[in-house]
Amino acid sequence: MSGDVLNQLKSSLLELDMEGALAAARMVREDRQVAVEEAVAAVSEALKVVGSRFQEGEWFLTELVYAGEIAKEVMGLLSPLMETGAGGLGTVVVGTVAGDLHDLGKNIFINYARSAGFKVIDLGMDVNANSFVNAVKENSPFALGMSCLLTSTDGEIVKVVEDLKKAGLREKVRIIIGGAALTEQFAETAGVDAFAKDAITGIDIIRNWSGG
Amino acid sequence: MDFRERILAAMNHEEADRVPVMGLIMDPTTVNLVLEKKPVDFAGLLKRPVWGLLIRYLMNTNWFWRRMYYGNFAGSLKSAIKLGFDANWTIYSLMKLNREPESALGWAWHDPFGRVWELGRAPDGSMAVNYTRGLCETEEQWEAWVEQKKPVYEALIKNVRVFHKKLVEKYGERIYPIGYAAPGIFENSWQPMGFVNFTKMIYQKPDFVKRIVDFQTDLYMKYLDAVMESGVEVVLGGDDLGQKTGPLMRPELIEKLYGNSYRMVADRVHEKNKKFVFHSCGNIYQLLDKFVDWGFDGIITMEPTAGMDLGKVREQVGHKLVLVGNLDVSYLMVRGTREEVDDAVKKAIKDAGRGGGYILSTCHSHPFVDPKRLEWMIDSAHKYGKYPLSV
Ligand code: B12
């Protein structure tokens, strides 16, 4: 029986069946036959499959987005029952750099990060270096994520790194970047810790960092 | 041969005297640099008490708006002529200035489709405008919005008609101004709701999504008709269907939701004996066959940073599509060396120029695109683009 619920949760998510996934989540809440943690683990497993389907080009952005939305709603039902509460894997600060108003990619990353169990502080788009530094100061995140789609604004990333150094915060936070304008090489020269070619890779990287 | 014959030959997959070169000039920053004009700091003026009041009033009058918008694109065409382009695009839009506490300046533009456009400053001080979010989160909000905007749509179509026609009358002797009917049906359906929200609607409210697409298709056809009245034989249309690694949606889903609309668009353009060139950013290899199937005559953009390569595109579609593009605007046309620009032009012409059906251009507009690099691009096009090609 308990296995059935977990299977339903996973398969509904992978079939993009919002109703089915929510019904399974409600069952977990009401019947208490399976531990909430197990259900959360099932969601997380399903999301890994979603991620690899997307990375392999089997799934497209709409599917990635909708699976993310289903996971978000399911987690909305499950996380209040978890002992650690939502965001137990640690805090991440995320924003799109100054001058850049692209936010689709950033929002997908944030949604997946939340569903994976991270607490995310979303600074929005067009975020200047000062605001990134202040947010790191105030929230002590273990990771800082920056999105950048324009080559004309990639210098902002370098600026944030420099300002974090000046504020004595660079050693306290790991930095991950993503977005159409960026590459692995850029990440190296900019002095950040990781570049993610897509949101799912990004989640894997920060999960690794958090030890989760 | 003149610029018009050159463009038309390319559109018919014929070799003209040389490969034509098209400008995608529209950003005020570029125009000011080319025409050596001082930038107007609209954003700053908006904040001043008297000027601010006046601009806020004027911008929301049709009279001023039409003049201002016409002025922008007259500037774009003058710049393109000065640089020596054979053609340049012309794009119209209609906006309303609204109080927007969330926006950096406290003001933002709302377009008639339901988008918010953030007003900002380009590095040189001129105005930069960008879509940031939608105004219609729910079905009810969307219905109410389009109902309320009906008179605005009429004004929009009327303005579009006058705008393109006037530009062709004024500059058509010196350059080929290609009207661009934008934003397209895809963008007009998702952007007023936001991508995440619209995606949810696709799964949860398919009938509503169909209604949106039908509505936008109908409106778009009228828009396209108005653009085509300019008298020019080629019309651009567009929607960004791609992102960095592939289409935003599964091609089958795009076919299901938009296939008929795009077919209708291509048919309408052909009924008027014109050619339709479609603009889409991102990685769109998986959609090329659809473009052919829907009846598009050409495509523009083919963004290299998303992995688009003219040679590969030509290999995939042969001469079923005219290709317009695709010099990179992230590095090459901003900071590239003369040699790099020269090499890129040579490669583009070599990959796509044979047998006509190719127009050289950048892959996009961008305020940082450097006019000097545009000059180099044109020089190199004259050097390598002579038919019969020797590259
Ligand atoms: C949609 C779009 C827009 C929309 C943005 C709407 C919005 N609210 O986001 C609008 C129309 C407003 C727009 C405007 C402009 N755009 Co634009 N746009 C695009 C387009 C077509 C798709 C971008 C997108 O949303 N992709 C879908 C998302 C999901 O993908 P993504 O962002 O790459 O994110 C994924 C990964 O990169 C990663 N990721 C992203 N961020 C992060 C962050 C972290 C921490 C992690 C871990 C991962 C991660 O995860 C995501 C999912 O896997 C791209 C084309 C392209 N190749 O991407 C051009 C593109 C980015 N735009 C471009 C340009 C030039 C512009 C303009 C300057 C045009 C102009 N002349 O005005 C303006 C600039 C506005 C501004 N100041 O920012 C160029 C940039 C070129 C360059 N290298 O500089 C591109 C590449 C198009 C081109 N033909 O060259 N654009």
Side-chain angles (χ1 to χ4, degrees):
Chain A
M1 164 69 196
S2 60
D4 286 352
V5 181
L6 294 182
N7 280 339
Q8 186 186 332
L9 192 54
K10 262 200 282 191
S11 62
S12 307
L13 218 154
L14 291 175
E15 282 158 24
L16 297 175
D17 171 7
M18 172 81 86
E19 281 313 309
L22 290 178
R26 274 186 219 108
M27 238 159 14
V28 173
R29 278 172 72 111
E30 283 151 24
D31 299 355
R32 297 298 183 107
Q33 301 246 355
V34 291
V36 181
E37 282 70 19
E38 274 183 275
V40 172
V43 171
S44 165
E45 267 173 54
L47 286 183
K48 278 192 193 148
V49 179
V50 169
S52 60
R53 284 183 183 173
F54 177 69
Q55 285 170 328
E56 274 151 35
E58 198 184 320
W59 269 20
F60 291 81
L61 208 59
T62 28
E63 285 133 355
L64 181 73
V65 165
Y66 196 53
E69 286 302 297
I70 298 177
K72 182 164 94 183
E73 300 213 7
V74 166
M75 293 300 289
L77 291 175
L78 299 179
S79 48
L81 307 179
M82 285 165 68
E83 273 177 22
T84 46
L89 286 186
T91 303
V92 189
V93 164
V94 186
T96 302
V97 298
D100 191 338
L101 297 169
H102 294 84
D103 68 349
L104 251 64
K106 168 191 75 76
N107 291 347
I108 293 174
F109 174 68
I110 288 177
N111 197 11
Y112 272 78
R114 286 190 175 136
S115 297
F118 296 96
K119 178 180 174 196
V120 180
I121 316 272
D122 180 5
L123 301 180
M125 41 194 179
D126 194 10
V127 180
N128 61 31
N130 209 8
S131 309
F132 275 117
V133 173
N134 284 340
V136 169
K137 210 178 283 171
E138 281 161 23
N139 301 290
S140 312
F142 75 93
L144 167 65
M146 283 182 273
S147 184
C148 172
L149 276 86
L150 298 169
T151 319
S152 49
T153 56
D154 62 14
E156 284 295 319
I157 293 175
V158 180
K159 190 155 188 286
V160 173
V161 174
E162 291 304 316
D163 289 3
L164 282 171
K165 276 188 197 156
K166 280 187 212 143
L169 293 166
R170 178 64 188 97
E171 301 307 320
K172 301 204 163 83
V173 66
R174 289 206 164 141
I175 304 177
I176 180 166
I177 57 173
L182 309 177
T183 58
E184 201 80 58
Q185 289 109 294
F186 175 82
E188 266 170 44
T189 51
V192 303
D193 301 291
F195 161 73
K197 70 172 175 24
D198 57 48
I200 305 300
T201 310
I203 301 299
D204 286 344
I205 294 172
I206 60 168
R207 197 184 275 126
N208 241 331
W209 289 349
S210 77
Chain B
M1 229 175 203
D2 69 6
F3 56 83
R4 182 172 169 270
E5 291 163 327
R6 210 168 282 136
I7 295 282
L8 293 182
M11 288 305 303
N12 286 318
H13 298 273
E14 286 160 14
E15 296 190 348
D17 56 343
R18 63 166 168 79
V19 169
V21 196
M22 173 168 173
L24 307 185
I25 298 178
M26 68 171 203
D27 293 296
T29 310
T30 314
V31 173
N32 291 332
L33 281 172
V34 177
L35 302 181
E36 294 166 43
K37 278 182 17 191
K38 268 203 8 224
V40 180
D41 180 12
F42 263 115
L45 288 176
L46 256 177
K47 284 188 173 160
R48 306 246 297 260
V50 179
W51 271 104
L53 210 67
L54 188 68
I55 291 182
R56 289 193 306 258
Y57 166 74
L58 283 174
M59 273 206 186
N60 283 346
T61 65
N62 200 26
W63 171 82
F64 180 78
W65 181 268
R66 272 181 12 209
R67 288 177 72 99
M68 184 184 83
Y69 226 81
Y70 176 82
N72 281 350
F73 270 89
S76 302
L77 291 179
K78 278 190 238 166
S79 308
I81 293 168
K82 187 167 171 194
L83 291 169
F85 282 105
D86 294 300
N88 197 78
W89 64 10
T90 55
I91 313 169
Y92 185 76
S93 57
L94 182 60
M95 306 276 184
K96 188 164 185 294
L97 194 63
N98 275 68
R99 257 241 169 273
E100 195 75 29
E102 275 175 44
S103 132
L105 290 175
W107 293 88
W109 276 345
H110 290 182
D111 79 10
F113 305 97
R115 291 180 194 78
V116 176
W117 296 77
E118 188 97 14
L119 303 186
R121 256 202 205 99
D124 70 331
S126 44
M127 189 153 66
V129 205
N130 288 293
Y131 158 71
T132 51
R133 62 189 180 87
L135 290 162
C136 308
E137 259 177 41
T138 63
E139 188 169 349
E140 293 70 30
Q141 281 170 351
W142 184 84
E143 298 284 2
W145 179 270
V146 295
E147 186 56 39
Q148 183 210 335
K149 292 294 164 191
K150 272 188 184 147
V152 183
Y153 297 134
E154 278 169 32
L156 170 72
I157 305 290
K158 217 167 123 194
N159 287 359
V160 165
R161 193 172 290 134
V162 178
F163 173 82
H164 292 284
K165 217 174 182 159
K166 237 173 99 181
L167 285 171
V168 172
E169 276 164 16
K170 183 86 200 269
Y171 298 99
E173 299 288 311
R174 286 180 285 162
I175 193 164
Y176 198 72
I178 306 187
Y180 182 11
I185 301 165
F186 176 71
E187 288 178 355
N188 281 345
S189 46
W190 79 256
Q191 292 184 341
M193 310 217 124
F195 194 76
V196 173
N197 208 9
F198 188 70
T199 298
K200 282 204 262 182
M201 299 283 183
I202 292 176
Y203 289 98
Q204 296 172 356
K205 295 189 166 193
D207 293 341
F208 173 47
V209 168
K210 182 161 182 340
R211 223 165 49 243
I212 297 179
V213 175
D214 288 348
F215 178 88
Q216 297 300 354
T217 305
D218 191 49
L219 185 55
Y220 192 73
M221 300 294 263
K222 294 188 182 121
Y223 197 116
L224 201 61
D225 282 343
V227 177
M228 285 193 287
E229 281 188 32
S230 77
V232 161
E233 296 87 344
V234 185
V235 58
L236 297 181
D239 270 322
D240 284 341
L241 293 173
Q243 45 98 29
K244 200 176 172 182
T245 54
L248 285 158
M249 278 182 191
R250 182 175 289 280
E252 295 85 341
L253 183 61
I254 297 185
E255 174 67 61
K256 185 173 146 205
L257 296 177
Y258 298 96
N260 273 343
S261 304
Y262 285 137
R263 274 191 197 90
M264 277 161 70
V265 164
D267 287 350
R268 176 70 66 104
V269 175
H270 294 155
E271 265 167 36
K272 306 225 161 152
N273 284 323
K274 295 184 195 286
K275 304 263 187 195
F276 184 68
V277 177
F278 185 78
H279 164 116
S280 172
C281 293
N283 182 310
I284 47 169
Y285 285 113
Q286 293 183 61
L287 296 171
L288 294 177
D289 296 336
K290 295 246 166 265
F291 296 162
V292 173
D293 183 40
W294 293 333
F296 296 173
D297 300 289
I299 49 170
I300 173 164
T301 300
M302 289 165 287
E303 185 193 328
T305 39
M308 298 305 292
D309 175 271
L310 283 176
K312 276 198 208 153
V313 176
R314 185 60 99 208
E315 204 180 297
Q316 194 177 325
V317 298
H319 275 272
K320 288 181 194 149
L321 290 175
V322 173
L323 310 182
V324 190
N326 73 339
L327 298 201
D328 165 57
V329 295
S330 64
Y331 164 76
L332 185 75
M333 298 308 287
V334 181
R335 280 173 289 157
T337 63
R338 175 144 207 174
E339 205 184 342
E340 285 167 328
V341 173
D342 194 65
D343 283 349
V345 170
K346 193 164 151 191
K347 180 178 175 340
I349 291 178
K350 181 164 163 265
D351 286 349
R354 237 159 278 282
Y358 176 57
I359 299 173
L360 176 76
S361 78
T362 59
C363 76
H364 212 281
S365 63
H366 190 296
F368 282 20
V369 164
D370 173 32
K372 194 85 222 146
R373 268 106 192 135
L374 292 175
E375 276 175 30
W376 295 346
M377 161 177 146
I378 295 172
D379 275 356
S380 301
H382 291 181
K383 186 158 85 183
Y384 301 115
K386 287 204 185 67
Y387 285 112
L389 295 182
S390 55
V391 285

